[in-house]
Amino acid sequence: MQIFPKMLLASTMLFFGAATKTQVINAQTNAVKMTNPLLQKSTLQYQAPPFNLIKDEHFKPAFDFALKVHDKEIEKIANNPAKPTFQNTVLALETSGVDLARATGIFYNLTGSNTNPKLQAIDEEYAPVFSAHNDKIYLNSQLYKRFKALNLNALKGEDQKLTQYYLQQFELAGANLSPADKEKMKKINEELASLGTLFGNKLLIARKNGAVLFDNATDLDGLSADEIAAAKAKATEAGKDGKYLIGLLNTTQQPLLQNLKNRAAREKIYKSSWYRAEKNDDGDTREVLEKMAKLRLQKANLMGKKSFAEWKLQDQMAQSPAPAMDLLAKIAAPAVAKAKVEAKEIQDLINAQNGGFQLEPWDWNFYSEQVRKAKYDLDESQIKPYFEITSVLENGVFFAAKEMYGITFKVREDLPVYHPDVKVYEVFDNNGKSIAIYYLDFYTRDNKSGGAWMSNFVSQSHYLKQKPVIVNVYNFSKPVNGNPSLISFDDVITLFHEFGHTLHGLFANQQYTTLSGTSVPRDYVEFPSQINEHAALDPTVLKNYAIHYQTKQVIPQELIDKIKKAETFNKGYQVTELLAAATLDMAWHSVEKESDFKPTLEFEKEALQKYGLLVNEVPTRYHTPYFAHIWSGGYSAGYYAYTWSKTLDYNAFDWMQANGGMTRANCERFRKYILSVGNSLDLNKAFKDFIGHDMQIEPYLRNSGLSAKE
């Protein structure tokens, strides 16, 4: 296959004697197309990526080829002499760039989950290229004029919604700007794209360099034998045989702090986490993010907006910064008050144990676990053996999906994967019909971004006859020496949460990929995933997956009751750290004058102080230098979305509880009104149609244990 194009080129030249330059170029172009798996529609089921054929060296030629093809497609649409119609303008744009979408979709999934220096270099090289390409589309005056010429009232359903969506994207990008300002916008966008990629790569370095080395196993007293073995294996892998290495996750607090008895070890890990990206080394992100904040303000000003947040929120449910900040503020006051009560309880315990020290952030999880045990007689080590990761997935997440929606899963070992740890499943609907392919990547790696997420390799579209191909990526510790992988109940919730995104993608029922599945506003996209978290505690579901890995006994009702009673435990802390991060994000992006920006650490401290969220014992969930969500993860001026979506979730969950719980009937209604509609209609209306009223704040406060009566 690989030599065929060369043979074709040689025979073409031989037959015609002297080929024209155009013929040679065309033959070379065809050669790239025919030998690059990224430029061919996959023949695997539902166009699942042929990872066994894809190599790092395929990406650059694929990008170059696909960009040129897309440029020509855009030029043809923009310069079409025919009168603009939905078909020759909107649909033509929607269905253009197929090769580019395929190649970039696979590339960005790999750079997040399984990157390497070569992919990182390509990412840095092409970030400004892709930004410029996007600007070629959305700052194209001719193309914009064709969209403006369409009669929206003559269109219906998804055709109208898709046209409205593109018109808004043109206007958000700056299609109305003068030619001079468009050039300024292009330069800003290119620089922001480069800086965003640079931030992500620096943060990966910071995370790796921030791993904490211990000389003795005794330093890790309190961790399980499996956790200590994993730390030893990680040290050996890093060339530090005989020592113990604790890697960092992307959040401020680190899960192992909950069990570490050695206070000095806890402090060492915590501080390594907090200071990871501010060491004046190659992992220091501060200079990069400060440049990004200023450029984003310049971008907003070009668009006639006072701040980046004002520009960014126009297409969100909140629509402007004020409602978003109002929601955060109304929750912040009771959350901080609750956190202070929790802090006093912990300090009282420390004093009772003659600790002789004041509570610090690295103490919180360790002692709050003891408080929980005292108040609710619930010990994490008691319940963890019931949460073996495969059982949680197959007997919990998958079982719940079957109970709630009737869908089933079948392991597929014949489809290629991008890493040996990745599993593949085929998904079947309640009528037994195959509807999707689902990839799952459980375990942490040094070359994987922190956190957990869902994304599509292929998005659903009736028009393109495409079914979804979805991946969930996690960062759980890989079991060693044949031991099971036991996870905390928080991790159980994470599994159900990310699969909620998957359900949103699985049940997509749209004509067009742009409106399909999870392609919704940021402050709505977390809503379906948060609703699915509640399934973890559904009695039928819980007893099906919470099986002790040794005794094979189902979790006793006594432990279930304790878990439920402790549901609002530590909520003051959890909500405060989340709101602190959301407020930090909004503060960075609400600045209206460049002179108001200050050095990173100073700016953060003043912002948290201003909004009453500078609480020593409760650090922000993400410290600005490693706040990946907002500097390289697409959540700039959007981290409030988790709280907004959670408020939607609690409203909807209250409705379900009032109507019989998470029954099949209620879940099918949720599928009809929420999961299956994508961005094909007004989502505020969709939400109201589901529960019968607009979003209210009271359900959030009540369910979080933050209301006055709590």
Side-chain angles (χ1 to χ4, degrees):
M1 183 71 177
Q2 288 183 332
I3 70 166
F4 176 74
K6 294 180 183 177
M7 293 171 60
L8 177 65
L9 178 57
S11 63
T12 301
M13 294 176 72
L14 181 65
F15 185 81
F16 289 105
T20 66
K21 184 178 179 181
T22 300
Q23 288 173 320
V24 172
I25 291 172
N26 287 342
Q28 291 171 338
T29 299
N30 288 334
V32 172
K33 175 84 172 172
M34 294 172 69
T35 59
N36 194 315
L38 295 166
L39 297 174
Q40 300 167 41
K41 183 177 179 179
S42 172
T43 57
L44 297 175
Q45 187 175 357
Y46 305 153
Q47 302 177 55
F51 289 115
N52 56 323
L53 303 178
I54 296 169
K55 296 179 171 59
D56 291 349
E57 54 264 31
H58 287 134
F59 286 106
K60 283 185 68 170
F63 292 162
D64 292 340
F65 177 91
L67 283 163
K68 287 175 184 174
V69 170
H70 201 206
D71 280 342
K72 289 178 182 176
E73 290 173 329
I74 298 303
E75 189 178 336
K76 185 178 178 182
I77 300 167
N79 298 325
N80 189 344
K83 180 183 177 182
T85 64
F86 176 81
Q87 284 71 24
N88 70 19
T89 302
V90 184
L91 193 55
L93 180 59
E94 172 69 7
T95 55
S96 66
V98 172
D99 288 336
L100 187 60
R102 183 190 306 115
T104 54
I106 293 170
F107 178 75
Y108 285 115
N109 272 289
L110 291 180
T111 55
S113 58
N114 201 43
T115 196
N116 59 53
K118 190 168 184 178
L119 292 181
Q120 287 177 306
I122 295 171
D123 196 2
E124 287 191 28
E125 180 182 350
Y126 279 84
V129 175
F130 291 142
S131 174
H133 180 70
N134 195 62
D135 284 341
K136 278 185 191 176
I137 299 170
Y138 291 107
L139 296 179
N140 186 315
S141 299
Q142 286 298 109
L143 192 57
Y144 178 51
K145 284 177 184 175
R146 291 187 66 83
F147 273 82
K148 287 287 285 183
L150 295 169
N151 181 2
L152 277 172
N153 294 327
L155 300 173
K156 294 180 181 179
E158 282 193 46
D159 291 0
Q160 185 185 69
K161 180 67 176 178
L162 186 66
T163 306
Q164 289 173 326
Y165 171 84
Y166 276 123
L167 275 168
Q168 187 173 47
Q169 295 311 301
F170 276 107
E171 285 153 14
L172 284 170
N176 287 320
L177 294 176
S178 68
D181 282 347
K182 281 183 180 178
E183 289 307 309
K184 289 179 185 176
M185 182 65 79
K186 288 176 184 177
K187 288 178 182 176
I188 290 173
N189 287 341
E190 283 187 33
E191 193 171 353
L192 279 171
S194 294
L195 289 170
T197 300
L198 181 60
F199 179 92
N201 289 340
K202 278 182 170 290
L203 194 54
L204 203 60
I205 293 169
R207 182 183 173 206
K208 186 176 181 180
N209 291 347
V212 185
L213 196 66
F214 291 96
D215 293 329
N216 305 302
T218 53
D219 293 330
L220 304 180
D221 185 23
L223 301 190
S224 68
D226 288 348
E227 287 167 335
I228 292 173
K232 188 173 185 179
K234 194 171 178 68
T236 301
E237 187 183 323
K240 303 289 183 181
D241 200 26
K243 297 186 184 294
Y244 303 83
L245 192 65
I246 302 295
L248 297 180
L249 296 187
N250 63 331
T251 49
T252 295
Q253 289 286 12
Q254 301 297 304
L256 296 182
L257 296 182
Q258 179 175 290
N259 300 314
L260 270 176
K261 295 179 180 179
N262 186 319
R263 189 171 190 241
R266 292 199 305 270
E267 182 177 1
K268 189 176 180 181
I269 292 172
Y270 176 86
K271 286 185 173 178
S272 188
S273 173
W274 183 260
Y275 295 115
R276 74 182 85 170
E278 53 184 85
K279 298 177 181 176
N280 297 310
D281 59 5
D282 55 354
D284 195 312
T285 62
R286 289 174 292 176
E287 184 180 351
V288 175
L289 72 88
E290 287 168 13
K291 285 180 181 176
M292 292 181 76
K294 290 175 183 176
L295 283 168
R296 286 172 176 171
L297 176 57
Q298 290 171 24
K299 179 173 180 170
N301 290 161
L302 265 181
M303 300 293 296
K305 300 297 181 184
K306 293 178 182 177
S307 68
F308 182 81
E310 185 183 3
W311 171 78
K312 187 72 182 289
L313 268 60
Q314 294 173 83
D315 63 347
Q316 300 297 297
M317 291 188 80
Q319 296 186 329
S320 69
M325 283 304 297
D326 182 57
L327 179 69
L328 296 179
K330 284 179 177 174
I331 298 173
V336 169
K338 183 77 178 286
K340 287 179 177 177
V341 170
E342 293 166 356
K344 185 180 183 305
E345 289 178 336
I346 293 173
Q347 187 64 57
D348 288 346
L349 177 65
I350 292 170
N351 295 343
Q353 294 178 1
N354 298 314
F357 58 85
Q358 286 298 306
L359 171 65
E360 294 288 351
W362 51 87
D363 300 314
W364 189 290
N365 289 349
F366 180 73
Y367 284 98
S368 69
E369 181 61 21
Q370 294 181 46
V371 172
R372 178 168 69 165
K373 188 176 180 182
K375 286 185 76 171
Y376 302 99
D377 194 22
L378 182 63
D379 186 344
E380 182 73 36
S381 63
Q382 269 187 299
I383 60 177
K384 213 169 181 180
Y386 291 95
F387 302 138
E388 191 279 318
I389 200 166
T390 303
S391 180
V392 175
L393 174 73
E394 296 183 350
N395 302 323
V397 174
F398 288 176
F399 174 78
K402 184 179 180 182
E403 291 289 299
M404 293 158 67
Y405 303 104
I407 60 174
T408 54
F409 303 80
K410 176 186 175 185
V411 174
R412 291 289 299 272
E413 295 182 347
D414 57 318
L415 292 173
V417 294
Y418 58 84
H419 189 278
D421 288 344
V422 177
K423 288 185 173 184
V424 190
Y425 297 84
E426 185 172 359
V427 188
F428 299 86
D429 208 346
N430 50 30
N431 58 5
K433 192 174 180 180
S434 175
I435 57 171
I437 297 294
Y438 172 59
Y439 292 75
L440 190 141
D441 184 354
F442 264 148
Y443 303 118
T444 189
R445 296 184 286 273
D446 283 341
N447 67 341
K448 181 191 280 191
S449 297
W453 64 89
M454 165 269 185
S455 57
N456 282 70
F457 286 120
V458 179
S459 294
Q460 177 274 338
S461 164
H462 293 308
Y463 183 81
L464 296 176
K465 296 180 172 58
Q466 287 180 181
K467 293 189 178 182
V469 178
I470 293 171
V471 60
N472 271 151
V473 183
Y474 300 92
N475 269 283
F476 298 123
S477 296
K478 190 172 182 178
V480 293
N481 302 326
N483 293 317
S485 181
L486 304 178
I487 60 176
S488 68
F489 188 66
D490 283 346
D491 290 335
V492 170
I493 295 299
T494 297
L495 266 175
F496 277 86
H497 175 98
E498 294 304 330
F499 193 76
H501 287 305
T502 293
L503 289 169
H504 201 178
L506 290 178
F507 294 146
N509 189 29
Q510 280 67 61
Q511 283 292 314
Y512 311 118
T513 56
T514 294
L515 304 176
S516 179
T518 57
S519 298
V520 296
R522 285 286 187 195
D523 50 9
Y524 192 82
V525 74
E526 299 297 334
F527 166 39
S529 55
Q530 289 167 336
I531 272 286
N532 203 57
E533 293 176 15
H534 299 289
L537 275 174
D538 180 88
T540 305
V541 176
L542 183 61
K543 289 189 176 183
N544 199 64
Y545 73 83
I547 312 289
H548 197 287
Y549 80 102
Q550 288 175 317
T551 67
K552 306 305 177 189
Q553 295 296 307
V554 175
I555 190 169
Q557 187 61 45
E558 179 189 7
L559 271 184
I560 296 174
D561 292 341
K562 289 177 182 179
I563 292 171
K564 288 187 173 180
K565 283 179 183 175
E567 243 191 308
T568 59
F569 172 72
N570 213 36
K571 274 294 184 195
Y573 182 98
Q574 292 169 10
V575 175
T576 299
E577 67 161 358
L578 184 70
L579 294 178
T583 301
L584 259 186
D585 167 36
M586 203 61 80
W588 277 106
H589 295 111
S590 295
V591 171
E592 297 180 4
K593 293 188 297 183
E594 276 195 42
S595 58
D596 287 341
F597 284 118
K598 295 181 179 178
T600 300
L601 306 183
E602 186 181 344
F603 184 93
E604 175 175 303
K605 184 177 180 180
E606 288 187 8
L608 292 176
Q609 207 158 26
K610 178 181 177 181
Y611 292 102
L613 288 161
L614 187 64
V615 184
N616 177 61
E617 305 91 341
V618 189
T620 175
R621 184 171 176 80
Y622 299 101
H623 186 31
T624 297
Y626 50 84
F627 202 165
H629 282 77
I630 68 170
W631 302 119
S632 64
Y635 271 79
S636 51
Y639 197 70
Y640 79 92
Y642 285 95
T643 303
W644 190 282
S645 293
K646 193 65 183 173
T647 310
L648 294 173
D649 158 34
Y650 281 139
N651 275 256
F653 185 63
D654 275 5
W655 181 91
M656 283 191 172
Q657 291 297 91
N659 288 275
M662 299 186 81
T663 62
R664 180 69 177 274
N666 284 344
C667 290
E668 287 294 351
R669 178 181 169 87
F670 189 70
R671 175 176 178 174
K672 175 184 176 182
Y673 284 100
I674 307 297
L675 294 178
S676 69
V677 302
N679 198 22
S680 64
L681 42 79
D682 180 337
L683 296 177
N684 278 303
K685 183 178 184 301
F687 178 78
K688 190 172 181 177
D689 286 346
F690 177 64
I691 66 167
H693 60 77
D694 292 326
M695 181 179 83
Q696 300 168 352
I697 195 173
E698 288 76 14
Y700 185 110
L701 298 175
R702 185 172 60 255
N703 282 283
S704 297
L706 302 178
S707 59
K709 63 181 180 181
E710 300 290 338

